[in-house]
Amino acid sequence: MTRAGWYPLAGAGDLAEGHIVDAVLDGRALAVWRGADRIARAWENRCPHRGVRLSIGSVVGDELVCRYHGWRFAGADGRCTRVPAHPNSAPPSGLRIQARPVREAAGIVWCDSGEGSEFVEPEPGIVARPLMFAMGLVALRGAMLGALGGSSAIGEAWLRASLPHEAGGWTVTLLLRPAGPHECWVHGLVHAGAPARPVAIARAQTDWLAGVRRLFENSL
Amino acid sequence: MLASCIMTRGNDPFIDEQNDPVLLDQWHVVASIAELRRGPVRTILLGRRLTVAIRQDQPVAHHADGAAAATMLHLEYVWVCLGQKPARLFDIPELAEPERRVVHAGSFGVRTSPPRAIENFLDLGHFPYVHKDFLGLEPHTEVPPYRVSTEQDGQELFARDCRFFQPRSAANASEGFIVEYVYRVPHPLCAVLYKLNPLDRDRQDVIALFCQPVGPEQVRAHMLVSLLDDTSDDAELIGFQQLIFAQDKPILENQVPLRLPLSPGAEVPVRADAMSVAYRRYLAALGLRHGVIAA
Amino acid sequence: MIRLHHYELSAECYKVRLLLSMLGLAHETVQVDMYPGAAHLSDSYRRLSPLGRLPVVEDGDLVLDDANAILVHLAASHDPGGTWFARAPGQIAQWLGYGAALAASLGAARLMDCFDTGMDSAPLIARALPILDALDRHLWLEAAEGHFYLCGTGPTIADIACFADTVLAEEAGVALRRYPAVRRWHDRVRMIPGFIVMPGVFPR
């Protein structure tokens, strides 16, 4: 277990209306989705009926629909609103999907791995492409602090680093999300002072980070 | 013995799922005769590697170290027993009726537990969603009550009077109608479906699913189809059955956990799930440990 | 009339069925019992495709047995709007190549597992992962510029060539959550008018 706190799940722009992101936070599988009401939600990724992952389901309005039997769950409270096999009966009472606390800030969808953790807003920047590393958070953080010259830690899950000069030299805040014992996601915000096309900056950032990942994979 | 891939699970840490006596002392399908006609088959049963072949019309199966395993030919398949041979192996007498076509529709690898695969085969409520436009279609989603019973001293489980509206119930069905089903579970990992024929509604098509337990989370699923259909060719019959099965596959591979939980509170059934509840009870009563999470 | 020889569970055949449907082209289909019947290796089928490849399209006197070639032919000859290929042929041809590489790695691994051949698919998966990563990178960067398809703002045969094997990746044992931009693009392909499914692919 990593310390409870707010971790990034997806770029807010990558979570389009009607889309479901399949994400893992600290061993907990989540269906991260946005309904017609534009609210981002992170639910336990499992239908209580037969255990099917809700991330393979679909979004209809403000409801999430399970792919297996069409059971519907209301975005507002996670309650089951429809069991199509028994259209004239009320769904099993008390049946609801566990929701995790979610907030959107700095162009990122965040989730609290605990309850009531304090949210610290990062310095705003251009949202980077999230990248998965096959290492746990602690090992990855250590490796990054060792390998990235001039990098520094901000708390236990954030780092400040700089892209190499030839890649633009911009400063980046790397936001780590622990997924499993050997899986950590790296989200990021690039702080570009000079006016440049945001996508060019994001491209430079992801290609640099992919290079860092190759370096770590080759040294394993 | 030749146990590989040792995994333990459940309440009793000393029970090894791959050595579950309920399954060791049982016959399991390992290959169809149709497949063996093309040559020997290398496969895995309960974690043990086997080579299966037909020599002089007799089925043979060997472990990796050359030791022979008990075999029999039955219902178009070669069956293997790794432990004590059971007193009986079920039959499907309908297959011997005249004018019937009996077709092996393929053996498929699925990343799930054998009991999850069988439970899905016994399920009606998913038809309008997983098999939309074939076995079901909204708004015809209601599962009317059906009768569940155990027979043969508790060795077989039945669901009778199952009814469901199907827009295209078989390869030769041209219009939707209410299909009547009987489900039969004559073996913990085998299920048979008797289904009203779309053209001759007094007779039944038979579809069987035989799950070979490769491991607690890996199945080799063998499909047998016996139809009263003289209009569709084999490719169409096989194609239809494979289409239906391949629609179920991604659902099965996305269930969490992959092992079937036998505890009544682990998942939330509704009335339509009476057969699923009965199947879980039936497995619990047999004392099955392989591919399940014990209550 | 266009005649398609296909097998329902083949992703290569699905590519062609997808484009036929999206272009709204009338056609007839012939089912080939590839598994377990191995009908694609029969003498009669080899008259259409000497190598026993699926799918085959017959269009008049033309017989093609390669999914990419069929996609190019259909888009070049039967798309009056000219939006599916002609707009950016070089770029599209590159992604057709990626699609073929995915078919040879991810797609082949899926069929090995699906037909329970007992063969080890790990080397094929190892070849597929960098391609999936390159696809994810490209799609994420394009989306950041408002380009929601592989080659710009509208769908092309490049999308079809790369969609089929990647949307079925989990059947080959590759978790798609590793590629969130690919998953998001799958949703967009599902929105294209005329989209159809094959077993293993979910509708919108």
Side-chain angles (χ1 to χ4, degrees):
Chain A
M1 274 303 251
T2 319
R3 211 176 91 179
W6 290 89
Y7 294 95
L9 293 179
D14 293 336
L15 185 61
E17 182 185 324
H19 186 57
I20 312 172
V21 169
D22 178 358
V24 180
L25 171 59
D26 222 7
R28 191 182 272 136
L30 299 171
V32 187
W33 63 286
R34 197 192 291 281
D37 58 9
R38 307 289 306 151
I39 296 174
R41 300 187 166 89
W43 283 7
E44 183 189 3
N45 193 6
R46 184 174 182 277
C47 177
H49 178 217
R50 290 280 178 87
V52 167
R53 286 193 179 89
L54 291 169
S55 55
I56 65 165
S58 61
V59 177
V60 174
D62 295 338
E63 295 190 317
L64 199 54
V65 186
C66 178
R67 192 60 72 178
Y68 198 2
H69 295 91
W71 288 28
R72 289 188 182 216
F73 299 93
D77 56 7
R79 277 184 206 281
C80 182
T81 61
R82 188 160 178 258
V83 172
H86 302 299
N88 304 315
S89 310
S93 60
L95 192 63
R96 64 196 296 173
I97 313 272
Q98 279 275 331
R100 301 297 316 160
V102 166
R103 70 195 304 159
E104 289 189 65
I108 285 172
V109 178
W110 305 78
C111 182
D112 187 355
S113 70
E115 294 292 339
S117 307
E118 186 198 355
F119 181 75
V120 180
E121 182 116 9
E123 183 188 333
I126 294 161
V127 178
R129 173 182 167 229
L131 220 52
M132 192 195 101
F133 283 66
M135 302 165 81
L137 179 137
V138 174
L140 178 60
R141 178 177 176 273
M144 283 184 154
L145 287 171
L148 308 177
S151 61
S152 58
I154 310 172
E156 291 179 36
W158 294 2
L159 286 89
R160 180 63 63 100
S162 296
L163 269 64
H165 183 72
E166 64 274 18
W170 295 296
T171 307
V172 59
T173 306
L174 299 176
L175 311 158
L176 276 53
R177 175 197 1 134
H182 304 290
E183 181 180 327
C184 185
W185 283 74
V186 180
H187 296 252
L189 293 164
V190 191
H191 314 293
R197 269 170 70 227
V199 70
I201 295 167
R203 177 180 292 114
Q205 194 274 352
T206 197
D207 290 344
W208 163 74
L209 194 58
V212 174
R213 185 169 66 175
R214 275 194 299 278
L215 181 77
F216 292 172
E217 279 167 1
N218 294 339
S219 64
L220 279 178
Chain B
M1 229 351 244
L2 301 136
S4 59
C5 186
I6 304 297
M7 302 177 83
T8 55
R9 186 105 183 177
N11 298 336
D12 182 348
F14 299 102
I15 294 252
D16 163 10
E17 280 185 86
Q18 301 282 46
N19 288 319
D20 181 346
V22 175
L23 295 188
L24 282 182
D25 300 343
Q26 185 58 269
W27 291 102
H28 301 281
V29 167
V30 291
S32 68
I33 294 171
E35 184 179 7
L36 289 166
R37 268 193 221 111
R38 288 192 289 272
V41 170
R42 293 156 57 86
T43 187
I44 299 173
L45 175 63
L46 293 166
R48 289 122 171 119
R49 293 189 176 280
L50 294 174
T51 305
V52 188
I54 293 191
R55 297 216 183 99
Q56 280 121 34
D57 292 335
Q58 291 304 308
V60 290
H62 292 285
H63 290 279
D65 67 355
T71 58
M72 70 182 286
L73 277 178
H74 186 53
L75 302 172
E76 311 285 323
Y77 290 88
V78 172
W79 301 66
V80 165
C81 177
L82 296 170
Q84 291 276 19
K85 288 188 219 168
R88 85 188 252 287
L89 175 59
F90 72 93
D91 194 12
I92 307 177
E94 293 82 0
L95 299 189
E97 288 174 3
E99 306 148 41
R100 247 182 207 287
R101 296 166 63 188
V102 181
V103 182
H104 167 59
S107 305
F108 288 84
V110 190
R111 286 184 189 82
T112 188
S113 60
R116 284 274 198 198
I118 294 291
E119 183 183 69
N120 172 72
F121 187 82
L122 305 172
D123 187 87
L124 291 155
H126 72 292
F127 288 167
Y129 300 95
V130 179
H131 308 299
K132 179 175 176 283
D133 297 331
F134 295 92
L135 306 186
L137 187 64
E138 286 184 304
H140 309 279
T141 59
E142 183 162 14
V143 178
Y146 53 88
R147 283 189 299 126
V148 174
S149 58
T150 49
E151 299 174 18
Q152 305 280 337
D153 289 334
Q155 290 188 70
E156 299 207 2
L157 185 63
F158 282 84
R160 298 181 194 275
D161 302 336
C162 306
R163 269 188 285 277
F164 208 81
F165 174 83
Q166 302 200 333
R168 189 176 170 224
S169 65
N172 61 341
S174 53
E175 56 175 346
F177 68 98
I178 293 182
V179 177
E180 290 172 38
Y181 272 26
V182 172
Y183 286 110
R184 174 185 173 209
V185 181
H187 175 294
L189 304 182
C190 296
V192 187
L193 161 61
Y194 302 88
K195 183 174 181 174
L196 216 62
N197 184 277
L199 302 179
D200 179 356
R201 297 189 188 184
D202 292 329
R203 301 190 61 185
Q204 290 175 322
D205 290 338
V206 180
I207 299 163
L209 176 68
F210 305 139
C211 282
Q212 171 185 339
V214 172
E217 295 185 352
Q218 183 67 39
V219 174
R220 185 164 138 88
H222 307 270
M223 272 190 303
L224 182 73
V225 183
S226 170
L227 303 186
L228 300 150
D229 176 349
D230 46 21
T231 56
S232 310
D233 63 24
D234 275 7
E236 286 171 318
L237 285 190
I238 290 170
F240 185 84
Q241 226 29 250
Q242 291 189 354
L243 171 100
I244 298 300
F245 185 76
Q247 288 174 333
D248 287 318
K249 189 173 184 280
I251 298 286
L252 290 169
E253 294 179 339
N254 273 292
Q255 281 178 290
V256 183
L258 292 174
R259 287 171 166 87
L260 185 71
L262 298 185
S263 158
E267 292 179 353
V268 181
V270 291
R271 284 196 312 283
D273 299 314
M275 188 55 168
S276 148
V277 171
Y279 176 60
R280 293 182 189 203
R281 279 200 199 118
Y282 161 87
L283 295 182
L286 289 176
L288 185 82
R289 307 300 292 257
H290 182 274
V292 299
I293 299 169
Chain C
M1 169 127 48
I2 297 168
R3 180 184 290 163
L4 168 68
H5 301 257
H6 77 127
Y7 173 62
E8 197 79 52
L9 307 189
S10 151
E12 291 298 278
C13 299
Y14 176 50
K15 293 174 186 176
V16 174
R17 291 195 296 117
L18 255 183
L19 185 63
L20 285 167
S21 175
M22 287 173 175
L23 289 176
L25 295 176
H27 61 280
E28 54 187 40
T29 57
V30 181
Q31 288 201 39
V32 181
D33 175 18
M34 174 178 151
Y35 177 82
H40 61 304
L41 303 178
S42 66
D43 291 347
S44 62
Y45 188 82
R46 283 184 197 267
R47 282 196 283 277
L48 287 167
S49 170
L51 295 174
R53 290 162 56 109
L54 280 161
V56 159
V57 154
E58 296 178 82
D59 189 5
D61 291 335
L62 184 68
V63 180
L64 295 170
D65 73 348
D66 176 88
N68 276 350
I70 296 166
L71 294 180
V72 170
H73 167 69
L74 293 177
S77 311
H78 297 280
D79 168 29
T83 61
W84 285 86
F85 178 62
R87 228 164 8 90
Q91 216 186 338
I92 289 169
Q94 175 190 293
W95 290 108
L96 294 183
Y98 277 64
L102 284 165
S105 54
L106 201 53
R110 168 180 164 264
L111 290 183
M112 264 184 192
D113 292 357
C114 186
F115 300 150
D116 201 47
T117 59
M119 287 188 273
D120 179 17
S121 61
L124 293 173
I125 297 298
R127 274 164 48 199
L129 297 183
I131 309 174
L132 280 163
D133 195 57
L135 200 60
D136 192 80
R137 171 189 177 276
H138 177 79
L139 287 163
W140 193 91
L141 291 168
E142 288 295 300
E145 290 213 281
H147 300 162
F148 291 138
Y149 297 94
L150 271 172
C151 300
T153 52
T156 66
I157 56 173
D159 295 290
I160 290 177
C162 293
F163 177 78
D165 287 299
T166 59
V167 79
L168 293 162
E170 300 207 338
E171 293 202 355
V174 175
L176 275 173
R177 64 183 181 78
R178 291 174 65 167
Y179 309 100
V182 172
R183 281 185 90 254
R184 188 181 165 200
W185 164 72
H186 287 160
D187 265 12
R188 293 193 202 104
V189 174
R190 289 185 176 102
M191 305 277 278
I192 300 172
F195 177 79
I196 53 171
V197 296
M198 69 169 270
V201 179
F202 299 121
R204 180 79 181 119

